Amino acid sequence: SDSATFDDIYKDYEVLGNVFGVQDLAAERVQTMKDTLASVEETLGEEVYADPIRVFVYDSGEEAPFTACQGVPGDMIKKAGGISIFDDIDKGWATPSWDEVVERDPDVILILDYDYDTEEKTEFLKTNDFTKNLRAVKEGRIYSACCSDMQGSAGSAKAVEIMARQFYPEKFEK
């Protein structure tokens, strides 16, 4: 749902654990996710969450971008120390205009990768009239995350860590 968060992912696991009689396994998976997120939170620190990096999520679309706003993907970005530039749109996903992307001038761009198409999408962003002059593009701050993990899955907590490492590499160098 559009307002889903990690808590909903945890609940799904509990339900599945009960349905299939594997409560222990489900609880273990949830705990692993919670531990991963706690570790990211500790590494990033409060000041990052107080002033998150502004992220444009590029899923797909050339005429107009399909992007993540709220819901699970939005929650994941927040846990990685970022905030979607379209966080004010009350949906999990939306298709705003390229003009709006330019206007909101993201700090970083996060490409959602489907079977290794990050390079193609990066090339599109570097050559498209709307996006080629964005600060994030010029500074080479284009990162990627696995698309399926952004929907709420066992890989979601790990994906948060991967995003956090891309957004704040200096914090993880210790």
Side-chain angles (χ1 to χ4, degrees), residues 85-147:
I85 57 169
F86 293 107
D87 186 62
D88 57 329
I89 297 176
D90 207 8
K91 286 182 178 159
W93 302 87
T95 310
S97 69
W98 285 116
D99 282 319
E100 288 176 88
V101 174
V102 172
E103 213 170 281
R104 295 177 188 221
D105 191 26
D107 299 315
V108 301
I109 295 172
L110 182 72
I111 289 173
L112 297 192
D113 192 75
Y114 293 78
D115 297 328
Y116 314 105
D117 61 354
T118 294
E119 259 173 60
E120 269 165 64
K121 288 177 183 172
T122 302
E123 198 45 44
F124 171 73
L125 292 169
K126 285 180 175 173
T127 53
N128 171 18
D129 285 338
F130 284 107
T131 51
K132 66 183 182 192
N133 295 314
L134 284 175
R135 208 163 32 95
V137 173
K138 287 187 154 169
E139 293 172 4
R141 300 193 71 186
I142 300 175
Y143 308 120
S144 70
C146 166
C147 179

Side-chain angles (χ1 to χ4, degrees), residues 26-173:
E28 201 177 292
R29 287 278 161 86
V30 167
Q31 196 51 54
T32 300
M33 283 192 264
K34 287 181 175 173
D35 292 347
T36 301
L37 294 177
S39 156
V40 167
E41 209 166 295
E42 199 177 311
T43 304
L44 292 182
E46 282 170 33
E47 64 286 353
V48 163
Y49 292 105
D51 184 22
I53 201 164
R54 297 175 60 260
V55 184
F56 165 53
V57 177
Y58 181 45
D59 177 279
S60 57
E62 296 199 351
E63 293 306 306
F66 185 60
T67 188
C69 308
Q70 296 182 11
V72 167
D75 191 41
M76 288 177 66
I77 292 162
K78 284 178 183 157
K79 287 189 170 23
I83 187 162
S84 165
I85 57 169
F86 293 107
D87 186 62
D88 57 329
I89 297 176
D90 207 8
K91 286 182 178 159
W93 302 87
T95 310
S97 69
W98 285 116
D99 282 319
E100 288 176 88
V101 174
V102 172
E103 213 170 281
R104 295 177 188 221
D105 191 26
D107 299 315
V108 301
I109 295 172
L110 182 72
I111 289 173
L112 297 192
D113 192 75
Y114 293 78
D115 297 328
Y116 314 105
D117 61 354
T118 294
E119 259 173 60
E120 269 165 64
K121 288 177 183 172
T122 302
E123 198 45 44
F124 171 73
L125 292 169
K126 285 180 175 173
T127 53
N128 171 18
D129 285 338
F130 284 107
T131 51
K132 66 183 182 192
N133 295 314
L134 284 175
R135 208 163 32 95
V137 173
K138 287 187 154 169
E139 293 172 4
R141 300 193 71 186
I142 300 175
Y143 308 120
S144 70
C146 166
C147 179
S148 58
D149 291 336
M150 297 298 284
Q151 313 287 354
S153 70
S156 293
K158 198 75 196 141
V160 166
E161 185 186 323
I162 291 166
M163 285 190 281
R165 284 178 181 276
Q166 294 180 99
F167 298 163
Y168 302 98
E170 70 290 348
K171 297 262 184 195
F172 289 87
E173 275 163 11

